[in-house]
Amino acid sequence: MIIDTHMHIYDDRYLDKEKVIQNALDNGVEKMIVIGYDKESSLKALELAKKYDFIYLAVGLHPSEVLKEEDKDLGWLTDILDKEKVIAIGEIGLDYYWDKSFIDEQKHYFKKQIELAKKYNLPIIIHNRDAMQDTFDIIKDCGVRGVLHCYGGSLEMARELVKKGWYLGIGGVVTFKNARIIKEVVKEIDLRYLITETDSPYLAPTPHRGELNEPAYTKYVVSEIASIKGITIDEVEKQVEENVKNLFGI
Ligand code: NI
């Protein structure tokens, strides 16, 4: 079984969502996690998760969206957490790549959502861009578990993270020819800490690089991991399935 642990196929760029979902199933993807990044997208994700039993739901406020948030206590998020079948809070975290002018707000909502994860006993799905050290300082002893989605840090940091039980999300970037560091991370880090994802519609793997990504392409990530580690595709699928079960309970 192939699992796409991170996708956003409610995106308007998908003109035929049914077809995208069917294509995923036809390519061996049997479970998918649809991820919100603000109130509106989380509600769209919720609709998809309600419609398909193999689509699981994560909801949260992304660091790049925090300035438009009006409710410091995230009432809309707790409303969903109270009522719906959510398997994780995400994607949440820190992003210093686009804008460094509101780091305090980013940290406020990141910590706030970690508190919610603790309260609801849920793992977290972390988005980090150019903010690895601050992210690590916040999560290292935070008391919840989770995954660093689309991991893009160093091998040394990867070792620190898995030592503390964090999982690393591996996506399309690992298939890029020049992605030396992430290939090294995949080679050196135990498969027990890696999970597969696409981040659709972004970051389509080779041979679809530059196109609209979709969950069906998780298979390219799986086969790249197998080839880097010198093991079979089946071994990768089985271990990732186990990891996903451990982390998300699905
Ligand atoms: Ni994402």
Side-chain angles (χ1 to χ4, degrees):
M1 172 194 303
I2 296 176
I3 305 174
D4 182 359
T5 61
H6 194 114
M7 58 81 157
H8 308 271
I9 62 163
Y10 46 77
D11 192 290
D12 288 338
R13 274 167 277 192
Y14 297 107
L15 302 178
D16 188 346
K17 292 175 180 58
E18 300 284 332
K19 202 173 143 195
V20 171
I21 291 166
Q22 190 55 49
N23 199 29
L25 295 171
D26 292 345
N27 282 276
V29 181
E30 292 182 39
K31 288 177 183 167
M32 307 172 221
I33 304 177
V34 63
I35 317 270
Y37 56 83
D38 64 357
K39 180 181 179 181
E40 198 193 340
S41 61
S42 291
L43 291 173
K44 284 183 188 168
L46 169 62
E47 287 315 305
L48 269 177
K50 274 183 171 170
K51 199 165 164 195
Y52 302 94
D53 58 3
F54 49 85
I55 296 184
Y56 298 85
L57 176 65
V59 288
L61 183 68
H62 185 289
S64 299
E65 307 293 332
V66 297
L67 285 187
K68 72 179 185 193
E69 182 59 50
E70 284 163 358
D71 178 2
K72 282 237 178 277
D73 294 321
L74 295 171
W76 62 268
L77 183 58
T78 51
D79 279 351
I80 300 177
L81 294 175
D82 277 334
K83 278 182 257 145
E84 306 295 343
K85 209 182 125 214
V86 177
I87 60 146
I89 294 183
E91 54 188 293
I92 63 175
L94 302 174
D95 191 322
Y96 299 170
Y97 176 80
W98 296 108
D99 197 336
K100 281 197 185 114
S101 65
F102 53 95
I103 287 175
D104 287 347
E105 289 87 346
Q106 291 191 32
K107 285 183 175 170
H108 164 79
Y109 284 108
F110 189 20
K111 290 175 183 167
K112 171 83 200 166
Q113 291 176 97
I114 289 172
E115 287 309 312
L116 286 174
K118 220 178 274 177
K119 184 176 165 196
Y120 287 85
N121 196 23
L122 291 168
I124 57 176
I125 295 169
I126 298 171
H127 168 98
N128 155 60
R129 196 160 179 201
D130 290 357
M132 192 66 246
Q133 192 58 51
D134 281 5
T135 299
F136 184 74
D137 289 342
I138 289 174
I139 66 172
K140 62 182 175 192
D141 298 309
C142 75
V144 299
R145 307 192 310 142
V147 56
L148 283 98
H149 129 72
C150 199
Y151 182 72
S154 67
L155 176 58
E156 293 69 32
M157 181 54 81
R159 288 200 167 110
E160 290 301 311
L161 288 163
V162 302
K163 213 184 285 172
K164 290 189 171 288
W166 292 88
Y167 288 84
L168 308 178
I170 307 298
V173 176
V174 76
T175 66
F176 299 169
K177 224 176 186 150
N178 54 356
R180 191 182 54 81
I181 297 173
I182 188 62
K183 285 181 198 288
E184 199 186 351
V185 167
V186 166
K187 186 169 181 227
E188 298 297 329
I189 298 295
D190 194 306
L191 189 56
R192 284 179 303 149
Y193 297 103
L194 307 182
I195 61 177
T196 50
E197 62 167 77
T198 59
D199 203 16
S200 303
Y202 312 104
L203 295 168
T206 306
H208 295 282
R209 190 171 179 176
E211 297 169 21
L212 195 65
N213 199 2
E214 52 176 287
Y217 299 162
T218 317
K219 66 180 180 184
Y220 299 111
V221 175
V222 170
S223 66
E224 184 67 26
I225 294 173
S227 125
I228 290 171
K229 286 196 162 301
I231 56 179
T232 65
I233 284 172
D234 197 48
E235 284 173 291
V236 176
E237 285 185 22
K238 285 216 169 87
Q239 186 60 54
V240 170
E241 194 182 338
E242 186 76 29
N243 300 345
V244 169
K245 203 174 184 183
N246 282 340
L247 178 58
F248 297 117
I250 60 172

